[in-house]
Amino acid sequence: MEYPTSVILDWMANYFWPYTRIAAMLMVMSVTGARFVSTRVRLYLGLAITLAVMPMLPAVPDTIELLSFEGFMILMEQIIIGVAMGTVTQFMIQTFVILGQILGMQSSLGFASMVDPANGQNTPLLGQLFMLLATMFFLATDGHLKMIQLVVMSFTTLPVGSGALNTVDFRELALWMGIMFKVALSMSLSGIIALLTINLSFGVMTRAAPQLNIFSLGFAFALLVGLLLCWYIIGGLFSHYELFWIQGEQQVCRFIRLNC
């Protein structure tokens, strides 16, 4: 039995283009996109998901050859769609890292820092703590399964070869950089105001009694208050994450033209 080259390329295209979109999302998405996750593991995971969901995906167009310029443009479209979906989850997790950095610098807890295994950079310990909690929330609420479900549903709303992101989608993705800082600042606002009040109080004490060693006392007191503020913020952290996750899910749904 002989198989023409066109038949083999069409069969490969049915698997290759969906695999590209799924693998691109896994490469960028939180947890699977971290540096401590091997690239080979992500590729194998994307391949396993593609083989599992392939029977329910719509067929790719047979008129476009895999090894052609149009095929290359379709490949780039799938990569862009997958990366855009995964980037939203990265912004969500990095919001809590920024929250820890703001509180750490305000309360002098930023002196305790370590290398972040997810980003490979030196991050304050509070940023590590909040990133770990946000990652646990993401996994506990089945965020990774929801993202896989959305990327599978995207093949129906954004079919391969006839669906792509437009300039409005790229603008909304860029605006998420500002949303990330805005949400982190709103969550840390109570801690900033409390620590600012303490610093102003010690400033007044320094002017009233210059002979007292206020700096040594103020540093220890600011550390203690910073720990109490972290305990207070962690108590309501999940509610903030839940509201932010709803916004992120709606943004992903807008990317793939889905009414969530």
Side-chain angles (χ1 to χ4, degrees):
M1 183 179 295
E2 296 181 357
Y3 293 96
T5 306
S6 59
V7 175
I8 296 176
L9 291 178
D10 291 340
W11 180 81
M12 292 177 58
N14 286 326
Y15 287 89
F16 181 70
W17 285 330
Y19 169 69
T20 304
R21 184 185 299 188
I22 295 173
M25 188 195 70
L26 294 177
M27 285 287 181
V28 183
M29 190 180 71
S30 299
V31 182
T32 58
R35 290 198 176 190
F36 54 80
V37 179
S38 174
T39 305
R40 186 177 299 177
V41 172
R42 306 176 206 171
L43 294 176
Y44 287 158
L45 181 60
L47 181 60
I49 294 173
T50 304
L51 294 177
V53 303
M54 191 62 201
M56 66 182 68
L57 298 183
V60 300
D62 298 334
T63 57
I64 302 176
E65 297 182 0
L66 180 62
L67 301 178
S68 63
F69 180 75
E70 294 181 355
F72 175 75
M73 295 303 297
I74 292 177
L75 174 65
M76 296 304 298
E77 288 177 357
Q78 307 314 305
I79 294 176
I80 291 173
I81 294 173
V83 169
M85 295 177 65
T87 303
V88 175
T89 61
Q90 280 289 349
F91 284 158
M92 291 178 53
I93 300 300
Q94 293 302 316
T95 300
F96 295 89
V97 177
I98 297 174
L99 169 64
Q101 291 178 346
I102 293 174
L103 292 178
M105 295 304 166
Q106 292 291 327
S107 62
S108 303
L109 290 171
F111 287 103
S113 60
M114 61 181 297
V115 176
D116 185 0
N119 301 316
Q121 298 177 355
N122 200 14
T123 307
L125 194 59
L126 277 182
Q128 290 277 356
L129 174 62
F130 287 121
M131 183 192 69
L132 178 62
L133 291 175
T135 305
M136 292 175 62
F137 293 155
F138 181 74
L139 295 175
T141 56
D142 293 335
H144 57 299
L145 300 180
K146 185 65 176 180
M147 291 300 298
I148 294 175
Q149 181 185 7
L150 290 176
V151 74
V152 173
M153 297 174 66
S154 68
F155 290 102
T156 304
T157 56
L158 289 179
V160 176
S162 59
L165 302 182
N166 51 33
T167 55
V168 177
D169 297 324
F170 293 125
R171 181 177 181 274
E172 290 183 355
L173 184 61
L175 290 177
W176 264 82
M177 182 69 71
I179 295 175
M180 178 177 64
F181 288 100
K182 182 175 69 175
V183 173
L185 183 61
S186 64
M187 287 190 293
S188 62
L189 197 58
S190 59
I192 293 175
I193 295 175
L195 292 171
L196 179 62
T197 304
I198 292 172
N199 291 330
L200 289 176
S201 302
F202 277 109
V204 173
M205 291 175 61
T206 303
R207 296 293 296 176
Q211 66 275 12
L212 296 177
N213 191 4
I214 302 298
F215 291 102
S216 60
L217 177 62
F219 183 78
F221 189 74
L223 286 175
L224 179 60
V225 174
L227 291 174
L228 294 176
L229 287 173
C230 290
W231 179 44
Y232 172 76
I233 291 175
I234 287 175
L237 197 64
F238 179 74
S239 60
H240 290 286
Y241 170 82
E242 192 174 11
L243 294 174
F244 197 30
W245 166 244
I246 293 175
Q247 298 181 16
E249 184 181 357
Q250 292 176 352
Q251 181 61 60
V252 174
C253 291
R254 285 195 294 269
F255 282 158
I256 62 176
R257 313 294 188 266
L258 186 66
N259 187 15
C260 294

